[in-house]
mmCIF file of all heavy atoms in Angstrom:
data_model
loop_
_atom_site.group_PDB
_atom_site.id
_atom_site.type_symbol
_atom_site.label_atom_id
_atom_site.label_comp_id
_atom_site.label_asym_id
_atom_site.label_seq_id
_atom_site.Cartn_x
_atom_site.Cartn_y
_atom_site.Cartn_z
ATOM 1 N N LYS A 257 23.133 -5.654 13.268
ATOM 2 C CA LYS A 257 22.574 -6.645 12.331
ATOM 3 C C LYS A 257 23.581 -7.752 12.050
ATOM 4 O O LYS A 257 24.784 -7.499 12.033
ATOM 5 C CB LYS A 257 22.242 -5.980 10.996
ATOM 6 C CG LYS A 257 21.220 -4.887 11.056
ATOM 7 C CD LYS A 257 20.782 -4.469 9.658
ATOM 8 C CE LYS A 257 21.862 -3.735 8.894
ATOM 9 N NZ LYS A 257 21.384 -3.258 7.584
ATOM 10 N N SER A 395 17.725 -12.306 -3.869
ATOM 11 C CA SER A 395 18.383 -11.816 -5.087
ATOM 12 C C SER A 395 19.791 -12.423 -5.136
ATOM 13 O O SER A 395 20.503 -12.383 -4.134
ATOM 14 C CB SER A 395 18.528 -10.301 -5.045
ATOM 15 O OG SER A 395 17.306 -9.709 -4.749
ATOM 16 N N ARG A 412 20.224 -11.248 5.469
ATOM 17 C CA ARG A 412 20.149 -10.705 6.828
ATOM 18 C C ARG A 412 19.484 -11.760 7.713
ATOM 19 O O ARG A 412 18.387 -12.239 7.402
ATOM 20 C CB ARG A 412 19.334 -9.413 6.850
ATOM 21 C CG ARG A 412 19.144 -8.917 8.261
ATOM 22 C CD ARG A 412 18.676 -7.505 8.283
ATOM 23 N NE ARG A 412 18.339 -7.114 9.643
ATOM 24 C CZ ARG A 412 17.672 -6.012 9.951
ATOM 25 N NH1 ARG A 412 17.272 -5.215 8.992
ATOM 26 N NH2 ARG A 412 17.410 -5.714 11.184
ATOM 27 N N THR A 468 20.786 -5.080 2.338
ATOM 28 C CA THR A 468 20.964 -6.281 1.520
ATOM 29 C C THR A 468 20.424 -6.082 0.110
ATOM 30 O O THR A 468 20.614 -6.941 -0.754
ATOM 31 C CB THR A 468 20.243 -7.481 2.181
ATOM 32 O OG1 THR A 468 18.915 -7.067 2.504
ATOM 33 C CG2 THR A 468 20.947 -7.925 3.443
ATOM 34 N N ASP A 495 23.670 2.217 4.483
ATOM 35 C CA ASP A 495 23.454 1.285 5.596
ATOM 36 C C ASP A 495 23.597 2.058 6.901
ATOM 37 O O ASP A 495 23.705 3.283 6.884
ATOM 38 C CB ASP A 495 24.397 0.075 5.520
ATOM 39 C CG ASP A 495 23.674 -1.185 5.970
ATOM 40 O OD1 ASP A 495 23.054 -1.157 7.051
ATOM 41 O OD2 ASP A 495 23.714 -2.203 5.242
ATOM 42 N N SER A 525 23.292 5.960 7.808
ATOM 43 C CA SER A 525 22.140 6.613 8.440
ATOM 44 C C SER A 525 22.289 6.829 9.939
ATOM 45 O O SER A 525 21.553 7.620 10.516
ATOM 46 C CB SER A 525 20.888 5.792 8.158
ATOM 47 O OG SER A 525 21.086 4.465 8.626
ATOM 48 N N ARG A 526 23.214 6.084 10.556
ATOM 49 C CA ARG A 526 23.278 6.214 12.017
ATOM 50 C C ARG A 526 24.644 6.706 12.488
ATOM 51 O O ARG A 526 25.167 6.246 13.493
ATOM 52 C CB ARG A 526 22.919 4.871 12.662
ATOM 53 C CG ARG A 526 21.553 4.384 12.212
ATOM 54 C CD ARG A 526 20.963 3.300 13.055
ATOM 55 N NE ARG A 526 19.739 2.785 12.418
ATOM 56 C CZ ARG A 526 18.994 1.835 12.900
ATOM 57 N NH1 ARG A 526 19.328 1.242 14.034
ATOM 58 N NH2 ARG A 526 17.906 1.426 12.267
ATOM 59 N N LYS A 531 19.540 11.620 9.823
ATOM 60 C CA LYS A 531 19.543 10.421 8.957
ATOM 61 C C LYS A 531 20.026 10.817 7.576
ATOM 62 O O LYS A 531 19.546 11.816 7.014
ATOM 63 C CB LYS A 531 18.123 9.867 8.825
ATOM 64 C CG LYS A 531 17.587 9.244 10.088
ATOM 65 C CD LYS A 531 17.839 7.771 10.114
ATOM 66 C CE LYS A 531 17.179 7.110 11.315
ATOM 67 N NZ LYS A 531 17.686 5.795 11.597
ATOM 68 N N TYR A 533 20.309 9.148 3.833
ATOM 69 C CA TYR A 533 19.914 7.988 3.030
ATOM 70 C C TYR A 533 20.397 8.151 1.592
ATOM 71 O O TYR A 533 20.770 9.257 1.175
ATOM 72 C CB TYR A 533 18.384 7.858 3.012
ATOM 73 C CG TYR A 533 17.743 7.470 4.327
ATOM 74 C CD1 TYR A 533 16.456 7.893 4.626
ATOM 75 C CD2 TYR A 533 18.385 6.655 5.238
ATOM 76 C CE1 TYR A 533 15.819 7.518 5.803
ATOM 77 C CE2 TYR A 533 17.773 6.271 6.427
ATOM 78 C CZ TYR A 533 16.483 6.717 6.708
ATOM 79 O OH TYR A 533 15.860 6.339 7.868
ATOM 80 N N ASP A 567 10.620 6.678 -1.688
ATOM 81 C CA ASP A 567 11.446 7.862 -1.402
ATOM 82 C C ASP A 567 12.487 8.075 -2.494
ATOM 83 O O ASP A 567 12.751 9.208 -2.920
ATOM 84 C CB ASP A 567 12.143 7.713 -0.043
ATOM 85 C CG ASP A 567 11.157 7.808 1.116
ATOM 86 O OD1 ASP A 567 9.985 8.131 0.866
ATOM 87 O OD2 ASP A 567 11.565 7.544 2.258
ATOM 88 N N ASP A 603 13.576 -4.005 -8.131
ATOM 89 C CA ASP A 603 13.340 -5.313 -7.528
ATOM 90 C C ASP A 603 13.153 -5.047 -6.051
ATOM 91 O O ASP A 603 14.117 -5.007 -5.272
ATOM 92 C CB ASP A 603 14.560 -6.212 -7.769
ATOM 93 C CG ASP A 603 14.333 -7.616 -7.244
ATOM 94 O OD1 ASP A 603 13.215 -7.896 -6.777
ATOM 95 O OD2 ASP A 603 15.272 -8.417 -7.293
ATOM 96 N N TYR A 605 10.633 -5.403 -2.406
ATOM 97 C CA TYR A 605 9.512 -6.059 -1.719
ATOM 98 C C TYR A 605 9.526 -5.706 -0.244
ATOM 99 O O TYR A 605 10.509 -5.187 0.244
ATOM 100 C CB TYR A 605 9.556 -7.578 -1.916
ATOM 101 C CG TYR A 605 10.774 -8.250 -1.360
ATOM 102 C CD1 TYR A 605 10.873 -8.534 0.011
ATOM 103 C CD2 TYR A 605 11.818 -8.622 -2.195
ATOM 104 C CE1 TYR A 605 11.987 -9.157 0.515
ATOM 105 C CE2 TYR A 605 12.926 -9.246 -1.702
ATOM 106 C CZ TYR A 605 13.009 -9.519 -0.334
ATOM 107 O OH TYR A 605 14.115 -10.136 0.155
HETATM 108 P P1 NAP B 1 18.078 -2.011 6.624
HETATM 109 O O1 NAP B 1 19.027 -2.013 7.749
HETATM 110 O O2 NAP B 1 16.631 -2.171 6.934
HETATM 111 O O3 NAP B 1 18.227 -0.664 5.785
HETATM 112 C C1 NAP B 1 19.425 -0.336 5.145
HETATM 113 C C2 NAP B 1 19.638 1.150 5.187
HETATM 114 O O4 NAP B 1 18.528 1.790 4.581
HETATM 115 C C3 NAP B 1 19.730 1.679 6.622
HETATM 116 O O5 NAP B 1 20.737 2.619 6.666
HETATM 117 C C4 NAP B 1 18.380 2.285 6.818
HETATM 118 O O6 NAP B 1 18.422 3.360 7.754
HETATM 119 C C5 NAP B 1 18.134 2.846 5.458
HETATM 120 N N1 NAP B 1 16.766 3.283 5.248
HETATM 121 C C6 NAP B 1 15.696 3.221 6.101
HETATM 122 N N2 NAP B 1 14.639 3.826 5.568
HETATM 123 C C7 NAP B 1 15.023 4.298 4.370
HETATM 124 C C8 NAP B 1 14.353 5.038 3.369
HETATM 125 N N3 NAP B 1 13.082 5.415 3.494
HETATM 126 N N4 NAP B 1 15.044 5.358 2.276
HETATM 127 C C9 NAP B 1 16.332 5.007 2.121
HETATM 128 N N5 NAP B 1 17.021 4.334 3.055
HETATM 129 C C10 NAP B 1 16.363 3.952 4.160
HETATM 130 O O7 NAP B 1 18.567 -3.050 5.523
HETATM 131 P P2 NAP B 1 18.309 -4.597 5.315
HETATM 132 O O8 NAP B 1 17.820 -5.236 6.542
HETATM 133 O O9 NAP B 1 19.489 -5.137 4.693
HETATM 134 O O10 NAP B 1 17.055 -4.662 4.357
HETATM 135 C C11 NAP B 1 16.911 -3.989 3.215
HETATM 136 C C12 NAP B 1 15.501 -4.246 2.677
HETATM 137 O O11 NAP B 1 15.615 -4.711 1.385
HETATM 138 C C13 NAP B 1 14.671 -5.261 3.407
HETATM 139 O O12 NAP B 1 13.337 -4.805 3.427
HETATM 140 C C14 NAP B 1 14.782 -6.495 2.547
HETATM 141 O O13 NAP B 1 13.688 -7.357 2.699
HETATM 142 C C15 NAP B 1 14.815 -5.863 1.212
HETATM 143 N N6 NAP B 1 15.490 -6.634 0.175
HETATM 144 C C16 NAP B 1 14.818 -6.783 -0.984
HETATM 145 C C17 NAP B 1 15.399 -7.444 -2.008
HETATM 146 C C18 NAP B 1 14.632 -7.619 -3.266
HETATM 147 O O14 NAP B 1 13.633 -7.016 -3.472
HETATM 148 N N7 NAP B 1 15.082 -8.427 -4.139
HETATM 149 C C19 NAP B 1 16.668 -7.953 -1.910
HETATM 150 C C20 NAP B 1 17.347 -7.755 -0.726
HETATM 151 C C21 NAP B 1 16.749 -7.059 0.315
HETATM 152 P P3 NAP B 1 17.823 3.330 9.249
HETATM 153 O O15 NAP B 1 17.460 1.932 9.574
HETATM 154 O O16 NAP B 1 18.942 3.859 10.097
HETATM 155 O O17 NAP B 1 16.665 4.266 9.227
#
Side-chain angles (χ1 to χ4, degrees):
K257 298 190 290 184
S395 309
R412 175 165 173 193
T468 50
D495 218 310
S525 57
R526 303 196 188 180
K531 290 266 186 196
Y533 291 150
D567 290 352
D603 184 5
Y605 62 79

